Amino acid sequence: MDDKVVIAKRVALELRGGNLVNLGIGLPTTVARYLPAGITVHFQSENGIIGMQPVPEAGLENEFLTDAGGGPIGAVAGSAAFDSCMSFGLIRGGHLDVTVLGGLQVDELGQLANWMVPGKMVPGMGGAMDLVSGARRVIVAMTHTAKGEPKVLKRCTLPLTSVRRIDLLVTELAVIEPTEAGLLLREVAPGVTTDQVIAATGAKLIVPDNVAEMAIGL
């Protein structure tokens, strides 16, 4: 199974019926495809919609119906569209239950860097800083390494998105929970050992005696 599919499926299991959830650009947007059966989640995008869903089938894309990254989306019956002021009022007002964001780095303090790489062209910081600060729960969905280098580090070397500690990190190798004491290894992916996770991580992990196998649904 593709690494990013593993991540998206595992993150989907964290969502609860009735949640208002923001999905970040890229990998996080795919989480909507893997909701468990019978669960209704209200997906929000900061460009101004609640009720987005994946495009039902090829050919139904609409240039005026996109997510925050400009990707085509569908809309469920009863969805709502509004301006950026309303959208960020929801985010900054603490009304989002969960935000799922991509990441460039996460460190031992549970801090996230995900909005820029110094010296590279970026279109802007987007809504990431508001989302990390305003959502009740912050889940980061990212690959564990990039070009063989760890993305989970002792300290972030890239500009921080927020000083707030995220609530959960899901990679293709593991589920890690940042805590007051440090990074707690909660789960490892099927076929992955604890030693492999430790070797791919540039930060100290708290490893319980028994680490569960990651559930990724059907």
Side-chain angles (χ1 to χ4, degrees), residues 60-102:
L60 293 183
E61 297 86 353
N62 185 320
E63 64 178 315
F64 298 110
L65 193 57
T66 71
D67 60 26
I73 58 172
V76 301
S79 60
F82 36 80
D83 63 15
S84 291
C85 293
M86 176 66 179
S87 186
F88 278 89
L90 290 170
I91 295 167
R92 295 170 181 171
H95 302 289
L96 283 179
D97 293 300
V98 182
T99 184
V100 182
L101 298 171

PDB file of all heavy atoms in Angstrom, residues 60-102:
ATOM      1  N   LEU A  60     -16.580  15.659 -13.362  1.00  0.00           N
ATOM      2  CA  LEU A  60     -17.502  16.533 -12.625  1.00  0.00           C
ATOM      3  C   LEU A  60     -16.771  17.704 -11.947  1.00  0.00           C
ATOM      4  O   LEU A  60     -17.361  18.399 -11.140  1.00  0.00           O
ATOM      5  CB  LEU A  60     -18.255  15.717 -11.568  1.00  0.00           C
ATOM      6  CG  LEU A  60     -19.235  14.671 -12.105  1.00  0.00           C
ATOM      7  CD1 LEU A  60     -19.962  13.990 -10.943  1.00  0.00           C
ATOM      8  CD2 LEU A  60     -20.253  15.302 -13.061  1.00  0.00           C
ATOM      9  N   GLU A  61     -15.497  17.911 -12.302  1.00  0.00           N
ATOM     10  CA  GLU A  61     -14.761  19.031 -11.717  1.00  0.00           C
ATOM     11  C   GLU A  61     -15.395  20.360 -12.135  1.00  0.00           C
ATOM     12  O   GLU A  61     -15.909  20.501 -13.252  1.00  0.00           O
ATOM     13  CB  GLU A  61     -13.294  19.002 -12.166  1.00  0.00           C
ATOM     14  CG  GLU A  61     -12.520  17.774 -11.714  1.00  0.00           C
ATOM     15  CD  GLU A  61     -12.658  16.593 -12.653  1.00  0.00           C
ATOM     16  OE1 GLU A  61     -13.475  16.680 -13.609  1.00  0.00           O
ATOM     17  OE2 GLU A  61     -11.967  15.580 -12.435  1.00  0.00           O
ATOM     18  N   ASN A  62     -15.353  21.321 -11.204  1.00  0.00           N
ATOM     19  CA  ASN A  62     -15.891  22.658 -11.469  1.00  0.00           C
ATOM     20  C   ASN A  62     -14.823  23.666 -11.080  1.00  0.00           C
ATOM     21  O   ASN A  62     -14.333  23.653  -9.947  1.00  0.00           O
ATOM     22  CB  ASN A  62     -17.161  22.884 -10.641  1.00  0.00           C
ATOM     23  CG  ASN A  62     -17.841  24.203 -10.947  1.00  0.00           C
ATOM     24  OD1 ASN A  62     -17.195  25.233 -11.135  1.00  0.00           O
ATOM     25  ND2 ASN A  62     -19.164  24.180 -10.985  1.00  0.00           N
ATOM     26  N   GLU A  63     -14.417  24.531 -12.001  1.00  0.00           N
ATOM     27  CA  GLU A  63     -13.316  25.458 -11.731  1.00  0.00           C
ATOM     28  C   GLU A  63     -13.633  26.429 -10.588  1.00  0.00           C
ATOM     29  O   GLU A  63     -12.713  27.028 -10.008  1.00  0.00           O
ATOM     30  CB  GLU A  63     -12.982  26.256 -12.991  1.00  0.00           C
ATOM     31  CG  GLU A  63     -14.110  27.159 -13.481  1.00  0.00           C
ATOM     32  CD  GLU A  63     -13.705  27.949 -14.709  1.00  0.00           C
ATOM     33  OE1 GLU A  63     -12.571  28.493 -14.709  1.00  0.00           O
ATOM     34  OE2 GLU A  63     -14.516  28.040 -15.662  1.00  0.00           O
ATOM     35  N   PHE A  64     -14.899  26.575 -10.247  1.00  0.00           N
ATOM     36  CA  PHE A  64     -15.271  27.492  -9.168  1.00  0.00           C
ATOM     37  C   PHE A  64     -15.446  26.774  -7.830  1.00  0.00           C
ATOM     38  O   PHE A  64     -15.815  27.393  -6.832  1.00  0.00           O
ATOM     39  CB  PHE A  64     -16.579  28.215  -9.527  1.00  0.00           C
ATOM     40  CG  PHE A  64     -16.474  29.058 -10.761  1.00  0.00           C
ATOM     41  CD1 PHE A  64     -17.142  28.676 -11.917  1.00  0.00           C
ATOM     42  CD2 PHE A  64     -15.675  30.191 -10.784  1.00  0.00           C
ATOM     43  CE1 PHE A  64     -17.035  29.443 -13.070  1.00  0.00           C
ATOM     44  CE2 PHE A  64     -15.563  30.957 -11.934  1.00  0.00           C
ATOM     45  CZ  PHE A  64     -16.240  30.580 -13.087  1.00  0.00           C
ATOM     46  N   LEU A  65     -15.193  25.467  -7.813  1.00  0.00           N
ATOM     47  CA  LEU A  65     -15.362  24.691  -6.583  1.00  0.00           C
ATOM     48  C   LEU A  65     -14.035  23.981  -6.295  1.00  0.00           C
ATOM     49  O   LEU A  65     -13.748  22.921  -6.846  1.00  0.00           O
ATOM     50  CB  LEU A  65     -16.500  23.677  -6.747  1.00  0.00           C
ATOM     51  CG  LEU A  65     -17.018  22.998  -5.486  1.00  0.00           C
ATOM     52  CD1 LEU A  65     -17.505  24.015  -4.453  1.00  0.00           C
ATOM     53  CD2 LEU A  65     -18.136  22.029  -5.824  1.00  0.00           C
ATOM     54  N   THR A  66     -13.227  24.605  -5.430  1.00  0.00           N
ATOM     55  CA  THR A  66     -11.888  24.091  -5.148  1.00  0.00           C
ATOM     56  C   THR A  66     -11.588  24.137  -3.652  1.00  0.00           C
ATOM     57  O   THR A  66     -12.267  24.829  -2.893  1.00  0.00           O
ATOM     58  CB  THR A  66     -10.801  24.914  -5.868  1.00  0.00           C
ATOM     59  OG1 THR A  66     -10.689  26.211  -5.266  1.00  0.00           O
ATOM     60  CG2 THR A  66     -11.097  25.063  -7.353  1.00  0.00           C
ATOM     61  N   ASP A  67     -10.544  23.403  -3.262  1.00  0.00           N
ATOM     62  CA  ASP A  67     -10.043  23.533  -1.902  1.00  0.00           C
ATOM     63  C   ASP A  67      -9.056  24.700  -1.829  1.00  0.00           C
ATOM     64  O   ASP A  67      -8.855  25.416  -2.815  1.00  0.00           O
ATOM     65  CB  ASP A  67      -9.405  22.217  -1.429  1.00  0.00           C
ATOM     66  CG  ASP A  67      -8.220  21.776  -2.289  1.00  0.00           C
ATOM     67  OD1 ASP A  67      -7.561  22.629  -2.916  1.00  0.00           O
ATOM     68  OD2 ASP A  67      -7.939  20.563  -2.316  1.00  0.00           O
ATOM     69  N   ALA A  68      -8.418  24.881  -0.684  1.00  0.00           N
ATOM     70  CA  ALA A  68      -7.533  26.033  -0.492  1.00  0.00           C
ATOM     71  C   ALA A  68      -6.303  25.984  -1.383  1.00  0.00           C
ATOM     72  O   ALA A  68      -5.674  27.013  -1.654  1.00  0.00           O
ATOM     73  CB  ALA A  68      -7.108  26.117   0.973  1.00  0.00           C
ATOM     74  N   GLY A  69      -5.957  24.783  -1.867  1.00  0.00           N
ATOM     75  CA  GLY A  69      -4.817  24.650  -2.757  1.00  0.00           C
ATOM     76  C   GLY A  69      -5.180  24.735  -4.224  1.00  0.00           C
ATOM     77  O   GLY A  69      -4.317  24.577  -5.085  1.00  0.00           O
ATOM     78  N   GLY A  70      -6.460  24.973  -4.521  1.00  0.00           N
ATOM     79  CA  GLY A  70      -6.898  25.067  -5.902  1.00  0.00           C
ATOM     80  C   GLY A  70      -7.283  23.745  -6.525  1.00  0.00           C
ATOM     81  O   GLY A  70      -7.617  23.678  -7.704  1.00  0.00           O
ATOM     82  N   GLY A  71      -7.266  22.654  -5.722  1.00  0.00           N
ATOM     83  CA  GLY A  71      -7.651  21.355  -6.244  1.00  0.00           C
ATOM     84  C   GLY A  71      -9.155  21.213  -6.318  1.00  0.00           C
ATOM     85  O   GLY A  71      -9.883  21.760  -5.485  1.00  0.00           O
ATOM     86  N   PRO A  72      -9.660  20.483  -7.301  1.00  0.00           N
ATOM     87  CA  PRO A  72     -11.116  20.330  -7.450  1.00  0.00           C
ATOM     88  C   PRO A  72     -11.719  19.513  -6.313  1.00  0.00           C
ATOM     89  O   PRO A  72     -11.120  18.551  -5.827  1.00  0.00           O
ATOM     90  CB  PRO A  72     -11.269  19.598  -8.792  1.00  0.00           C
ATOM     91  CG  PRO A  72      -9.973  18.867  -8.964  1.00  0.00           C
ATOM     92  CD  PRO A  72      -8.922  19.743  -8.352  1.00  0.00           C
ATOM     93  N   ILE A  73     -12.891  19.903  -5.861  1.00  0.00           N
ATOM     94  CA  ILE A  73     -13.610  19.196  -4.805  1.00  0.00           C
ATOM     95  C   ILE A  73     -15.073  19.060  -5.201  1.00  0.00           C
ATOM     96  O   ILE A  73     -15.556  19.729  -6.117  1.00  0.00           O
ATOM     97  CB  ILE A  73     -13.524  19.922  -3.445  1.00  0.00           C
ATOM     98  CG1 ILE A  73     -14.085  21.344  -3.570  1.00  0.00           C
ATOM     99  CG2 ILE A  73     -12.104  19.918  -2.913  1.00  0.00           C
ATOM    100  CD1 ILE A  73     -14.225  22.078  -2.250  1.00  0.00           C
ATOM    101  N   GLY A  74     -15.779  18.212  -4.486  1.00  0.00           N
ATOM    102  CA  GLY A  74     -17.220  18.145  -4.589  1.00  0.00           C
ATOM    103  C   GLY A  74     -17.831  18.811  -3.375  1.00  0.00           C
ATOM    104  O   GLY A  74     -17.129  19.260  -2.464  1.00  0.00           O
ATOM    105  N   ALA A  75     -19.147  18.871  -3.346  1.00  0.00           N
ATOM    106  CA  ALA A  75     -19.850  19.464  -2.205  1.00  0.00           C
ATOM    107  C   ALA A  75     -21.067  18.613  -1.886  1.00  0.00           C
ATOM    108  O   ALA A  75     -21.809  18.221  -2.788  1.00  0.00           O
ATOM    109  CB  ALA A  75     -20.277  20.895  -2.506  1.00  0.00           C
ATOM    110  N   VAL A  76     -21.252  18.318  -0.612  1.00  0.00           N
ATOM    111  CA  VAL A  76     -22.395  17.503  -0.199  1.00  0.00           C
ATOM    112  C   VAL A  76     -23.661  18.352  -0.216  1.00  0.00           C
ATOM    113  O   VAL A  76     -23.605  19.593  -0.191  1.00  0.00           O
ATOM    114  CB  VAL A  76     -22.178  16.927   1.215  1.00  0.00           C
ATOM    115  CG1 VAL A  76     -20.926  16.065   1.251  1.00  0.00           C
ATOM    116  CG2 VAL A  76     -22.110  18.031   2.259  1.00  0.00           C
ATOM    117  N   ALA A  77     -24.814  17.707  -0.258  1.00  0.00           N
ATOM    118  CA  ALA A  77     -26.075  18.419  -0.175  1.00  0.00           C
ATOM    119  C   ALA A  77     -26.147  19.170   1.149  1.00  0.00           C
ATOM    120  O   ALA A  77     -25.824  18.621   2.205  1.00  0.00           O
ATOM    121  CB  ALA A  77     -27.239  17.431  -0.272  1.00  0.00           C
ATOM    122  N   GLY A  78     -26.513  20.442   1.094  1.00  0.00           N
ATOM    123  CA  GLY A  78     -26.595  21.257   2.302  1.00  0.00           C
ATOM    124  C   GLY A  78     -25.309  21.930   2.680  1.00  0.00           C
ATOM    125  O   GLY A  78     -25.224  22.545   3.752  1.00  0.00           O
ATOM    126  N   SER A  79     -24.274  21.838   1.832  1.00  0.00           N
ATOM    127  CA  SER A  79     -23.010  22.504   2.132  1.00  0.00           C
ATOM    128  C   SER A  79     -23.191  24.025   2.111  1.00  0.00           C
ATOM    129  O   SER A  79     -24.175  24.542   1.575  1.00  0.00           O
ATOM    130  CB  SER A  79     -21.931  22.089   1.122  1.00  0.00           C
ATOM    131  OG  SER A  79     -22.320  22.445  -0.196  1.00  0.00           O
ATOM    132  N   ALA A  80     -22.245  24.726   2.723  1.00  0.00           N
ATOM    133  CA  ALA A  80     -22.330  26.185   2.821  1.00  0.00           C
ATOM    134  C   ALA A  80     -21.052  26.817   2.290  1.00  0.00           C
ATOM    135  O   ALA A  80     -19.951  26.308   2.544  1.00  0.00           O
ATOM    136  CB  ALA A  80     -22.540  26.602   4.278  1.00  0.00           C
ATOM    137  N   ALA A  81     -21.205  27.900   1.555  1.00  0.00           N
ATOM    138  CA  ALA A  81     -20.059  28.669   1.060  1.00  0.00           C
ATOM    139  C   ALA A  81     -20.111  30.060   1.661  1.00  0.00           C
ATOM    140  O   ALA A  81     -21.195  30.628   1.870  1.00  0.00           O
ATOM    141  CB  ALA A  81     -20.085  28.747  -0.466  1.00  0.00           C
ATOM    142  N   PHE A  82     -18.936  30.624   1.978  1.00  0.00           N
ATOM    143  CA  PHE A  82     -18.879  31.934   2.631  1.00  0.00           C
ATOM    144  C   PHE A  82     -17.526  32.564   2.348  1.00  0.00           C
ATOM    145  O   PHE A  82     -16.638  31.937   1.749  1.00  0.00           O
ATOM    146  CB  PHE A  82     -19.110  31.786   4.140  1.00  0.00           C
ATOM    147  CG  PHE A  82     -18.527  30.535   4.733  1.00  0.00           C
ATOM    148  CD1 PHE A  82     -17.187  30.445   5.049  1.00  0.00           C
ATOM    149  CD2 PHE A  82     -19.332  29.419   4.948  1.00  0.00           C
ATOM    150  CE1 PHE A  82     -16.641  29.284   5.576  1.00  0.00           C
ATOM    151  CE2 PHE A  82     -18.804  28.253   5.479  1.00  0.00           C
ATOM    152  CZ  PHE A  82     -17.448  28.191   5.794  1.00  0.00           C
ATOM    153  N   ASP A  83     -17.366  33.810   2.802  1.00  0.00           N
ATOM    154  CA  ASP A  83     -16.121  34.516   2.493  1.00  0.00           C
ATOM    155  C   ASP A  83     -15.017  34.166   3.492  1.00  0.00           C
ATOM    156  O   ASP A  83     -15.231  33.464   4.489  1.00  0.00           O
ATOM    157  CB  ASP A  83     -16.350  36.025   2.422  1.00  0.00           C
ATOM    158  CG  ASP A  83     -16.804  36.633   3.752  1.00  0.00           C
ATOM    159  OD1 ASP A  83     -16.673  35.968   4.801  1.00  0.00           O
ATOM    160  OD2 ASP A  83     -17.275  37.786   3.734  1.00  0.00           O
ATOM    161  N   SER A  84     -13.808  34.671   3.218  1.00  0.00           N
ATOM    162  CA  SER A  84     -12.648  34.370   4.052  1.00  0.00           C
ATOM    163  C   SER A  84     -12.799  34.909   5.471  1.00  0.00           C
ATOM    164  O   SER A  84     -12.284  34.306   6.420  1.00  0.00           O
ATOM    165  CB  SER A  84     -11.375  34.938   3.417  1.00  0.00           C
ATOM    166  OG  SER A  84     -11.052  34.234   2.234  1.00  0.00           O
ATOM    167  N   CYS A  85     -13.488  36.026   5.619  1.00  0.00           N
ATOM    168  CA  CYS A  85     -13.687  36.588   6.967  1.00  0.00           C
ATOM    169  C   CYS A  85     -14.450  35.613   7.849  1.00  0.00           C
ATOM    170  O   CYS A  85     -14.073  35.353   9.000  1.00  0.00           O
ATOM    171  CB  CYS A  85     -14.434  37.914   6.885  1.00  0.00           C
ATOM    172  SG  CYS A  85     -13.510  39.244   6.104  1.00  0.00           S
ATOM    173  N   MET A  86     -15.516  35.042   7.313  1.00  0.00           N
ATOM    174  CA  MET A  86     -16.305  34.059   8.055  1.00  0.00           C
ATOM    175  C   MET A  86     -15.470  32.804   8.319  1.00  0.00           C
ATOM    176  O   MET A  86     -15.478  32.244   9.415  1.00  0.00           O
ATOM    177  CB  MET A  86     -17.564  33.696   7.262  1.00  0.00           C
ATOM    178  CG  MET A  86     -18.408  32.604   7.895  1.00  0.00           C
ATOM    179  SD  MET A  86     -19.144  33.107   9.462  1.00  0.00           S
ATOM    180  CE  MET A  86     -20.060  31.621   9.877  1.00  0.00           C
ATOM    181  N   SER A  87     -14.741  32.381   7.298  1.00  0.00           N
ATOM    182  CA  SER A  87     -13.959  31.164   7.410  1.00  0.00           C
ATOM    183  C   SER A  87     -12.910  31.269   8.518  1.00  0.00           C
ATOM    184  O   SER A  87     -12.781  30.383   9.367  1.00  0.00           O
ATOM    185  CB  SER A  87     -13.278  30.853   6.073  1.00  0.00           C
ATOM    186  OG  SER A  87     -12.629  29.607   6.121  1.00  0.00           O
ATOM    187  N   PHE A  88     -12.174  32.383   8.537  1.00  0.00           N
ATOM    188  CA  PHE A  88     -11.137  32.540   9.555  1.00  0.00           C
ATOM    189  C   PHE A  88     -11.718  32.924  10.907  1.00  0.00           C
ATOM    190  O   PHE A  88     -11.084  32.709  11.941  1.00  0.00           O
ATOM    191  CB  PHE A  88     -10.076  33.533   9.083  1.00  0.00           C
ATOM    192  CG  PHE A  88      -9.073  32.885   8.162  1.00  0.00           C
ATOM    193  CD1 PHE A  88      -9.300  32.842   6.803  1.00  0.00           C
ATOM    194  CD2 PHE A  88      -7.934  32.288   8.674  1.00  0.00           C
ATOM    195  CE1 PHE A  88      -8.402  32.218   5.951  1.00  0.00           C
ATOM    196  CE2 PHE A  88      -7.026  31.661   7.845  1.00  0.00           C
ATOM    197  CZ  PHE A  88      -7.262  31.625   6.468  1.00  0.00           C
ATOM    198  N   GLY A  89     -12.933  33.443  10.911  1.00  0.00           N
ATOM    199  CA  GLY A  89     -13.622  33.642  12.180  1.00  0.00           C
ATOM    200  C   GLY A  89     -13.906  32.304  12.855  1.00  0.00           C
ATOM    201  O   GLY A  89     -13.759  32.152  14.066  1.00  0.00           O
ATOM    202  N   LEU A  90     -14.293  31.307  12.041  1.00  0.00           N
ATOM    203  CA  LEU A  90     -14.508  29.962  12.571  1.00  0.00           C
ATOM    204  C   LEU A  90     -13.210  29.374  13.115  1.00  0.00           C
ATOM    205  O   LEU A  90     -13.178  28.765  14.191  1.00  0.00           O
ATOM    206  CB  LEU A  90     -15.064  29.051  11.476  1.00  0.00           C
ATOM    207  CG  LEU A  90     -16.489  29.301  11.000  1.00  0.00           C
ATOM    208  CD1 LEU A  90     -16.780  28.470   9.744  1.00  0.00           C
ATOM    209  CD2 LEU A  90     -17.487  28.959  12.098  1.00  0.00           C
ATOM    210  N   ILE A  91     -12.132  29.561  12.345  1.00  0.00           N
ATOM    211  CA  ILE A  91     -10.841  28.991  12.736  1.00  0.00           C
ATOM    212  C   ILE A  91     -10.301  29.679  13.989  1.00  0.00           C
ATOM    213  O   ILE A  91      -9.953  29.026  14.984  1.00  0.00           O
ATOM    214  CB  ILE A  91      -9.829  29.118  11.578  1.00  0.00           C
ATOM    215  CG1 ILE A  91     -10.278  28.267  10.380  1.00  0.00           C
ATOM    216  CG2 ILE A  91      -8.425  28.715  12.040  1.00  0.00           C
ATOM    217  CD1 ILE A  91      -9.528  28.552   9.098  1.00  0.00           C
ATOM    218  N   ARG A  92     -10.244  30.992  13.963  1.00  0.00           N
ATOM    219  CA  ARG A  92      -9.656  31.733  15.088  1.00  0.00           C
ATOM    220  C   ARG A  92     -10.551  31.727  16.313  1.00  0.00           C
ATOM    221  O   ARG A  92     -10.075  31.906  17.438  1.00  0.00           O
ATOM    222  CB  ARG A  92      -9.374  33.169  14.643  1.00  0.00           C
ATOM    223  CG  ARG A  92      -8.312  33.271  13.556  1.00  0.00           C
ATOM    224  CD  ARG A  92      -8.209  34.661  12.966  1.00  0.00           C
ATOM    225  NE  ARG A  92      -7.204  34.724  11.912  1.00  0.00           N
ATOM    226  CZ  ARG A  92      -7.020  35.769  11.111  1.00  0.00           C
ATOM    227  NH1 ARG A  92      -7.782  36.846  11.247  1.00  0.00           N
ATOM    228  NH2 ARG A  92      -6.084  35.737  10.180  1.00  0.00           N
ATOM    229  N   GLY A  93     -11.836  31.482  16.089  1.00  0.00           N
ATOM    230  CA  GLY A  93     -12.766  31.463  17.210  1.00  0.00           C
ATOM    231  C   GLY A  93     -12.817  30.136  17.942  1.00  0.00           C
ATOM    232  O   GLY A  93     -13.588  29.979  18.890  1.00  0.00           O
ATOM    233  N   GLY A  94     -12.008  29.166  17.514  1.00  0.00           N
ATOM    234  CA  GLY A  94     -11.952  27.888  18.200  1.00  0.00           C
ATOM    235  C   GLY A  94     -13.094  26.943  17.872  1.00  0.00           C
ATOM    236  O   GLY A  94     -13.423  26.068  18.671  1.00  0.00           O
ATOM    237  N   HIS A  95     -13.720  27.106  16.712  1.00  0.00           N
ATOM    238  CA  HIS A  95     -14.888  26.297  16.369  1.00  0.00           C
ATOM    239  C   HIS A  95     -14.541  25.013  15.613  1.00  0.00           C
ATOM    240  O   HIS A  95     -15.413  24.162  15.429  1.00  0.00           O
ATOM    241  CB  HIS A  95     -15.870  27.129  15.552  1.00  0.00           C
ATOM    242  CG  HIS A  95     -16.322  28.376  16.254  1.00  0.00           C
ATOM    243  ND1 HIS A  95     -17.174  28.336  17.352  1.00  0.00           N
ATOM    244  CD2 HIS A  95     -16.027  29.689  16.049  1.00  0.00           C
ATOM    245  CE1 HIS A  95     -17.393  29.576  17.781  1.00  0.00           C
ATOM    246  NE2 HIS A  95     -16.714  30.408  17.006  1.00  0.00           N
ATOM    247  N   LEU A  96     -13.290  24.871  15.166  1.00  0.00           N
ATOM    248  CA  LEU A  96     -12.891  23.646  14.478  1.00  0.00           C
ATOM    249  C   LEU A  96     -12.572  22.564  15.501  1.00  0.00           C
ATOM    250  O   LEU A  96     -11.791  22.779  16.420  1.00  0.00           O
ATOM    251  CB  LEU A  96     -11.646  23.890  13.620  1.00  0.00           C
ATOM    252  CG  LEU A  96     -11.813  24.613  12.288  1.00  0.00           C
ATOM    253  CD1 LEU A  96     -10.450  24.756  11.632  1.00  0.00           C
ATOM    254  CD2 LEU A  96     -12.766  23.870  11.375  1.00  0.00           C
ATOM    255  N   ASP A  97     -13.143  21.383  15.307  1.00  0.00           N
ATOM    256  CA  ASP A  97     -12.810  20.262  16.191  1.00  0.00           C
ATOM    257  C   ASP A  97     -11.413  19.741  15.902  1.00  0.00           C
ATOM    258  O   ASP A  97     -10.657  19.428  16.826  1.00  0.00           O
ATOM    259  CB  ASP A  97     -13.832  19.129  16.015  1.00  0.00           C
ATOM    260  CG  ASP A  97     -15.213  19.521  16.497  1.00  0.00           C
ATOM    261  OD1 ASP A  97     -15.351  19.843  17.688  1.00  0.00           O
ATOM    262  OD2 ASP A  97     -16.150  19.533  15.679  1.00  0.00           O
ATOM    263  N   VAL A  98     -11.083  19.629  14.621  1.00  0.00           N
ATOM    264  CA  VAL A  98      -9.804  19.032  14.219  1.00  0.00           C
ATOM    265  C   VAL A  98      -9.282  19.745  12.984  1.00  0.00           C
ATOM    266  O   VAL A  98     -10.061  20.125  12.096  1.00  0.00           O
ATOM    267  CB  VAL A  98      -9.963  17.529  13.875  1.00  0.00           C
ATOM    268  CG1 VAL A  98      -8.609  16.916  13.507  1.00  0.00           C
ATOM    269  CG2 VAL A  98     -10.602  16.755  15.014  1.00  0.00           C
ATOM    270  N   THR A  99      -7.960  19.922  12.918  1.00  0.00           N
ATOM    271  CA  THR A  99      -7.321  20.258  11.656  1.00  0.00           C
ATOM    272  C   THR A  99      -6.276  19.202  11.368  1.00  0.00           C
ATOM    273  O   THR A  99      -5.584  18.728  12.278  1.00  0.00           O
ATOM    274  CB  THR A  99      -6.684  21.665  11.665  1.00  0.00           C
ATOM    275  OG1 THR A  99      -6.166  21.950  10.358  1.00  0.00           O
ATOM    276  CG2 THR A  99      -5.557  21.777  12.674  1.00  0.00           C
ATOM    277  N   VAL A 100      -6.200  18.786  10.105  1.00  0.00           N
ATOM    278  CA  VAL A 100      -5.192  17.827   9.658  1.00  0.00           C
ATOM    279  C   VAL A 100      -4.269  18.570   8.701  1.00  0.00           C
ATOM    280  O   VAL A 100      -4.710  19.067   7.662  1.00  0.00           O
ATOM    281  CB  VAL A 100      -5.825  16.618   8.949  1.00  0.00           C
ATOM    282  CG1 VAL A 100      -4.739  15.627   8.534  1.00  0.00           C
ATOM    283  CG2 VAL A 100      -6.860  15.939   9.838  1.00  0.00           C
ATOM    284  N   LEU A 101      -2.996  18.647   9.062  1.00  0.00           N
ATOM    285  CA  LEU A 101      -2.040  19.429   8.290  1.00  0.00           C
ATOM    286  C   LEU A 101      -0.855  18.579   7.860  1.00  0.00           C
ATOM    287  O   LEU A 101      -0.472  17.629   8.562  1.00  0.00           O
ATOM    288  CB  LEU A 101      -1.520  20.608   9.123  1.00  0.00           C
ATOM    289  CG  LEU A 101      -2.558  21.638   9.566  1.00  0.00           C
ATOM    290  CD1 LEU A 101      -1.927  22.617  10.550  1.00  0.00           C
ATOM    291  CD2 LEU A 101      -3.126  22.378   8.358  1.00  0.00           C
ATOM    292  N   GLY A 102      -0.268  18.936   6.728  1.00  0.00           N
ATOM    293  CA  GLY A 102       0.997  18.336   6.336  1.00  0.00           C
ATOM    294  C   GLY A 102       2.125  18.949   7.149  1.00  0.00           C
ATOM    295  O   GLY A 102       1.935  19.943   7.853  1.00  0.00           O
TER     296      GLY A 102
END
